[in-house]
């Protein structure tokens, strides 16, 4: 058949790989299709109790299996979803996948929690409690196993309303975590006004903790602050055994990072966790 020249050019433009070696960035239409076709999936980064040296759960991190571009990461997915008003739908999909994972773990008899990153737009979305309750019902999970990670900037501008929503979620049993702590502004105001169960210290303070006295002072002060407010304090981005030892000795409750474990596919997580349980559980 006849193919119009401009159509051919557009088609070439879509398929040609630029000099950077990467295909063109996905468009809003690509993401809309991806959501409809269920192309999103989760990778799971194990989260450890540093004192007991035990896995307590994982953080769910979104990935997109885009047919012509391969696996895309959150730094591409999240800004695109936010720009084109698909972030609320994306978050519900991620929560659905997380609940399904929790259901599988429960059925396997594994006592693990799952943390999900939730953006401001989701917190402000309509019918949140109704949709949340039906999600919990659908998968028959305990809200206690779900940890919602909120970033510092999330609640800015609408502290009153965010407070109402977050309090309602916490009342239902969900745990709340303040993510990337130390990177935003008015963060102490949020800690003052909202109740969190967990404080996640940003990677930037953790990665320099051994060489940089200032980073260490900040990481230790945040730990003290968190404990005074009855929160569990989490170190993210632990990349070396020295950082791990220092944070353990300082009394950090929980930790995540490439040194402890990389994010894994659900299948790899299962295998890895099964091996670990065999190692730590003496034969009866
Ligand atoms: P985050 O919530 O702070 O998640 C941790 C990020 O740090 C993950 O990157 C993880 O792979 C990476 N990481 C973990 N350990 C280490 C380490 O030892 N060293 C280094 N250098 N990095 C480490 P990822 O998966 O690319 O996610 C980046 C950010 O994207 C997340 O930061 C989170 O803010 C956002 N994100 C991820 N998944 C979702 C999601 O489902 N929904 C939303 N709204 N945001 C998400
Ligand atoms: Mg997070
Ligand atoms: Mg974080
Ligand atoms: Mg971070």
């Amino acid at each position: 058949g006849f193919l119009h020249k401009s159509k051919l050019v557009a088609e070439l433009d879509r398929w040609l790989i630029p000099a950077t070696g990467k295909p063109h960035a996905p468009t809003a239409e690509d993401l809309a299709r991806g959501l409809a076709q269920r192309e999103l999936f989760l990778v799971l980064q194990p989260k450890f109790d540093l004192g007991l040296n035990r896995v307590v759960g994982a953080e769910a991190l979104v990935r997109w299996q885009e047919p012509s571009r391969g696996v895309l990461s959150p730094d591409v997915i999240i800004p695109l979803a936010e720009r084109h008003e698909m972030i609320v739908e994306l978050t519900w999909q991620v929560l659905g996948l997380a609940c399904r994972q929790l259901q599988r773990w429960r059925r396997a008899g594994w006592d693990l929690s799952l943390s999900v990153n939730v953006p401001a737009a989701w917190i402000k979305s309509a019918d949140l409690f109704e949709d949340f309750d039906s999600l919990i019902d659908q998968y028959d999970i305990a809200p206690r196993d779900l940890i919602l990670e909120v970033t510092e900037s999330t609640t800015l501008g609408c502290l009153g309303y965010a407070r109402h929503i977050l309090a309602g979620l916490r009342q239902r049993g969900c745990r709340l975590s303040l993510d990337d702590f130390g990177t935003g502004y008015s963060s102490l105001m949020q800690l003052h006004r909202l109740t969190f169960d967990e404080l996640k210290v940003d990677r930037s303070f953790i990665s320099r903790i051994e060489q940089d006295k200032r980073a260490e002072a900040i990481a230790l002060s945040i730990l003290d602050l968190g404990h005074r407010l009855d929160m569990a304090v989490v170190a993210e981005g632990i990349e070396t055994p020295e950082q791990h030892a220092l944070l353990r000795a300082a009394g950090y409750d929980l930790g995540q990072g490439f040194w402890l474990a990389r994010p894994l596919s659900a299948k790899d997580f299962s295998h890895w966790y099964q091996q670990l349980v065999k190692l730590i559980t003496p034969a009866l």
Side-chain angles (χ1 to χ4, degrees):
F2 175 72
L3 190 56
H4 194 269
K5 188 175 168 236
S6 66
K7 210 173 156 190
L8 182 65
V9 169
E11 200 56 24
L12 274 174
D13 194 49
R14 193 172 146 75
W15 290 101
L16 276 183
I17 294 172
T20 58
K22 284 184 183 152
H24 289 125
T27 62
E29 291 72 45
D30 292 321
L31 183 58
R33 189 216 55 240
L35 287 167
Q37 303 287 322
R38 299 283 185 267
E39 290 167 6
L40 300 183
F41 66 99
L42 301 180
V43 293
L44 307 170
Q45 182 174 40
K47 184 174 167 189
F48 291 75
D49 180 315
L50 294 182
L52 298 174
N53 219 351
R54 209 149 67 191
V55 180
V56 292
E59 178 173 2
L61 300 160
V62 73
R63 298 290 183 269
W64 177 12
Q65 181 70 61
E66 210 281 333
S68 60
R69 294 176 180 85
V71 176
L72 302 177
S73 59
D75 55 314
V76 174
I77 309 167
I78 304 302
L80 182 64
E82 281 182 337
R83 263 199 318 276
H84 299 282
E85 280 158 23
M86 289 183 261
I87 189 70
V88 173
E89 190 190 339
L90 180 146
T91 305
W92 284 116
Q93 278 202 18
V94 166
L95 281 165
L97 293 167
C99 290
R100 199 172 72 186
Q101 187 60 64
L102 278 172
Q103 187 184 50
R104 292 201 188 111
W105 285 343
R106 281 293 151 216
R107 288 180 176 167
W110 296 356
D111 184 18
L112 296 169
S113 66
L114 196 52
S115 301
V116 174
N117 296 286
V118 294
W122 179 78
I123 294 173
K124 291 181 215 152
S125 67
D127 306 322
L128 185 131
F129 290 138
E130 215 180 306
D131 293 347
F132 185 82
D133 291 341
S134 67
L135 187 73
I136 296 295
D137 273 359
Q138 186 189 339
Y139 292 97
D140 194 29
I141 65 148
R144 166 102 202 137
D145 295 335
L146 199 56
I147 301 174
L148 301 175
E149 295 195 357
V150 174
T151 53
E152 283 180 83
S153 55
T154 295
T155 50
L156 280 175
C158 57
L159 213 48
Y161 186 67
R163 186 179 177 173
H164 161 72
I165 297 294
L166 292 174
L169 290 166
R170 198 160 176 271
Q171 206 171 25
R172 285 161 165 78
C174 276
R175 285 181 276 174
L176 302 180
S177 176
L178 190 52
D179 201 0
D180 300 331
F181 187 74
T183 58
Y185 45 98
S186 348
S187 42
L188 289 174
M189 182 60 87
Q190 299 192 45
L191 268 190
H192 181 52
R193 301 253 340 253
L194 303 164
T195 307
F196 291 94
D197 303 277
E198 185 182 276
L199 193 58
K200 250 181 137 163
V201 181
D202 192 67
R203 188 168 78 221
S204 52
F205 303 111
I206 305 303
S207 66
R208 290 199 298 267
I209 199 170
E210 324 111 281
Q211 315 101 317
D212 181 348
K213 280 285 157 203
R214 301 172 70 86
E216 185 186 351
I218 291 169
L220 298 183
S221 304
I222 298 175
L223 175 66
D224 183 50
L225 172 68
H227 283 170
R228 283 172 188 265
L229 293 172
D230 290 321
M231 290 184 284
V233 185
V234 190
E236 65 173 27
I238 303 175
E239 290 183 346
T240 69
E242 292 77 21
Q243 288 164 6
H244 183 207
L246 203 157
L247 293 161
R248 278 192 78 178
Y252 263 77
D253 304 284
L254 301 157
Q256 276 172 247
F258 293 167
W259 168 253
L260 298 168
R262 296 234 163 207
L264 302 164
S265 70
K267 201 173 148 209
D268 288 346
F269 184 96
S270 280
H271 291 149
W272 174 84
Y273 187 68
Q274 251 165 328
Q275 292 308 312
L276 203 71
V277 170
K278 273 187 208 148
L279 282 176
I280 61 170
T281 312
L284 295 174

